Amino acid sequence: MQALSFYWPFIKLGATDVWRHKTRSFLTMLGMVFGVGSVIAMLAVGEGASHQALESIKRLGSQNIMVNSVKPTSDDLSNSSAQRSRLAVYGLLHDDEARIRETVPGVDRTVPARMVRRNARFNERALELRVVETVPDWFEVVPRPVLAGRVLAPSDMDEHANVCILTEFGVRKLLAAEEMLGQRVRLGSGVFEVIGIVKNESGGSVRAPDSEADAYVPMSTASRLFGVANIRHVSGGMEGEKVELSQIIVKMRDTSVVEAGAKAIEAMLKRFHKKLDFKIDVPLSLLREAEKTKRTYNVVLGAIAGISLLVGGIGIMNIMLASVTERTKEIGIRRAIGARKSRIVVQFLINTCVLSIGGGLCGLVVGVTIPLLITFFSGMPTVIQPYSMVLAFGISVGIGIVFGLYPALRAASLDPIEALRHE
């Protein structure tokens, strides 16, 4: 309380001085307002983009290893008899899944999947879907919110049931305004009953298990109906490709063995694949890289926005130097009647603090408002972190004090006699 009673007259004097020169003070504070606002807003935009990417990677599972089939280059295929017969044979095999499950240490389970494009028809509507031929464990290893019905069950595999699960986008396009569950949809040469609807997810930079419109069907049923070769008619004959498995999702028992497991899988596959027709994605490694990139990104954005704060601090120094010049005679009178240098320094520093704190508070409002407007109008996710608000406000006050110190010391060092002669 004693400290407050000591500083209160200076605070009132500083506020009165700011209010007396409203326009000048407002223009000076704008630098801090936009500086604080830009720091918060830019960090919120960067945090939102990073958060979206990180969440997409996390949804793939930190214990999972995604092994994908990729088509080799034409040079790798040109020497094979399959290429001469215009049937490209490549990719992962069921034997690869068995080898991974049985030989790689730390594997909890493996989930095979084969993805093919098929035309789906319902009454007069048609839509090209990606058919995912898989097993019930798919929805345990890569969980998806079930919007209606159920997912695949072991009985569907055993009975070779003609059932499918659609993603929400496919349902809206194909079964619009219809009762969704229980409808029969034609996929290629088969008719499947819709037993469930799930929310699909995107993997961002990762080779994601989902596409916009998917239909999940039991692998046992699809193998019987579709086979393993995709043949298409072209001028002069037919061509196609044969891929047993498009993807194997390997779930490890613990995150500590994920990266070692990925190396073991890669070494094993290279022994049995003469050409490079597979690719391994490790969400855990990508997550760590994404988090590292996020930190770097935030530092860069914060540094760029911090330049605005520096400019605002220079503006405060400029206006305080002008104030010292204007009030030279007042300073001389105060010194002549016994005011100590420390009182003069405190007076001008408090004036500076009033400007920087006022600008900082207004900047907090601007910094919170801009990300909300960005999200509202563009749909881009933004995440306002409390630390960014504290950091930006603290820096604005610190810059105000640092840049106000020189004018305050200059005012205190004025010679009283020379100050009294100033006109």
Side-chain angles (χ1 to χ4, degrees):
M1 292 297 294
Q2 290 181 349
L4 181 61
S5 62
F6 174 78
Y7 288 110
W8 182 245
F10 294 104
I11 296 173
K12 287 178 63 177
L13 185 62
T16 302
D17 185 60
V18 169
W19 184 253
R20 187 186 307 127
H21 303 93
K22 292 185 286 292
T23 303
R24 186 175 71 180
S25 299
F26 172 73
L27 294 175
T28 303
M29 288 167 56
L30 278 182
M32 305 307 292
V33 171
F34 290 125
V36 172
S38 61
V39 169
I40 297 172
M42 291 184 74
L43 289 178
V45 171
E47 189 72 24
S50 300
H51 182 76
Q52 187 178 38
L54 291 174
E55 286 302 311
S56 297
I57 296 173
K58 287 177 182 177
R59 282 193 288 268
L60 295 177
S62 58
Q63 293 176 242
N64 293 345
I65 300 170
M66 324 294 286
V67 188
N68 302 280
S69 293
V70 294
K71 191 170 184 177
T73 61
S74 56
D75 291 339
D76 292 332
L77 286 173
S78 60
N79 297 324
S80 66
S81 58
Q83 178 66 14
R84 289 194 292 272
S85 64
R86 309 189 77 177
L87 181 67
V89 181
Y90 64 91
L92 300 169
L93 307 172
H94 287 284
D95 289 342
D96 293 327
E97 184 208 355
R99 293 187 193 105
I100 292 172
R101 186 174 58 250
E102 295 169 4
T103 63
V104 176
V107 172
D108 178 54
R109 70 182 76 181
T110 59
V111 178
R114 181 169 178 265
M115 289 82 162
V116 293
R117 306 297 300 186
R118 301 289 181 195
N119 288 320
R121 296 192 65 86
F122 176 77
N123 295 335
E124 300 301 320
R125 302 190 190 97
L127 176 69
E128 187 182 56
L129 296 173
R130 189 184 70 161
V131 178
V132 181
E133 307 168 8
T134 188
V135 296
D137 281 351
W138 170 280
F139 297 97
E140 295 182 19
V141 173
V142 188
R144 295 289 176 257
V146 180
L147 303 179
R150 65 176 178 86
V151 295
L152 295 177
S155 59
D156 297 324
M157 291 287 293
D158 297 337
E159 298 169 6
H160 302 273
N162 283 35
V163 295
C164 70
I165 292 93
L166 296 179
T167 54
E168 54 182 332
F169 179 83
V171 165
R172 287 199 301 267
K173 289 290 185 180
L174 199 61
L175 304 179
E178 299 284 350
E179 182 65 32
M180 298 174 184
L181 298 181
Q183 297 291 350
R184 294 188 173 275
V185 176
R186 177 171 289 278
L187 297 175
S189 59
V191 177
F192 292 79
E193 178 186 352
V194 179
I195 61 169
I197 301 163
V198 298
K199 183 178 177 65
N200 54 315
E201 304 284 358
S202 172
S205 60
V206 187
R207 195 178 291 264
D210 296 350
S211 69
E212 197 172 45
D214 280 342
Y216 300 92
V217 302
M219 180 168 280
S220 58
T221 306
S223 299
R224 174 173 54 87
L225 290 176
F226 304 142
V228 294
N230 288 327
I231 307 296
R232 56 185 178 273
H233 294 275
V234 295
S235 58
M238 294 184 297
E239 66 177 23
E241 56 186 29
K242 181 180 177 182
V243 180
E244 283 192 21
L245 293 176
S246 303
Q247 184 180 71
I248 301 172
I249 301 178
V250 183
K251 183 177 182 181
M252 307 301 287
R253 293 194 183 95
D254 189 77
T255 55
S256 61
V257 296
V258 168
E259 290 165 315
K263 293 179 181 177
I265 292 170
E266 183 177 14
M268 186 272 293
L269 290 176
K270 284 182 176 179
R271 288 174 53 197
F272 293 94
H273 290 250
K274 294 181 180 180
K275 50 185 178 289
L276 189 61
D277 55 357
F278 65 89
K279 182 179 185 296
I280 298 177
D281 288 324
V282 184
L284 180 64
S285 299
L286 294 170
L287 181 63
R288 289 172 179 165
E289 287 298 320
E291 288 175 339
K292 188 184 298 183
T293 303
K294 168 190 165 184
R295 289 192 293 268
T296 305
Y297 191 57
N298 284 346
V299 169
V300 172
L301 285 179
I304 293 172
I307 295 173
S308 301
L309 283 173
L310 187 63
V311 173
I314 294 172
I316 287 180
M317 177 184 283
N318 183 50
I319 205 67
M320 293 308 298
L321 286 173
S323 179
V324 169
T325 303
E326 290 176 356
R327 300 168 65 180
T328 299
K329 194 165 186 177
E330 174 194 334
I331 294 168
I333 293 172
R334 292 195 62 197
R335 290 296 310 282
I337 60 177
R340 295 194 298 269
K341 288 185 177 183
S342 60
R343 296 291 183 94
I344 304 297
V345 171
V346 169
Q347 177 186 342
F348 278 88
L349 275 181
I350 287 179
N351 280 19
T352 302
C353 289
V354 170
L355 289 173
S356 59
I357 291 174
L361 292 174
C362 294
L364 291 178
V365 176
V366 172
V368 171
T369 303
I370 291 176
L372 295 178
L373 292 176
I374 290 174
T375 301
F376 180 78
F377 286 108
S378 69
M380 181 187 300
T382 56
V383 179
I384 301 172
Q385 294 286 2
Y387 82 85
S388 67
M389 300 174 65
V390 174
L391 179 67
F393 182 75
I395 291 176
S396 73
V397 175
I399 284 179
I401 293 174
V402 169
F403 280 82
L405 191 59
Y406 172 70
L409 292 174
R410 182 174 175 178
S413 63
L414 287 175
D415 183 83
I417 297 175
E418 293 296 326
L420 287 172
R421 291 176 179 172
H422 182 78
E423 293 295 337

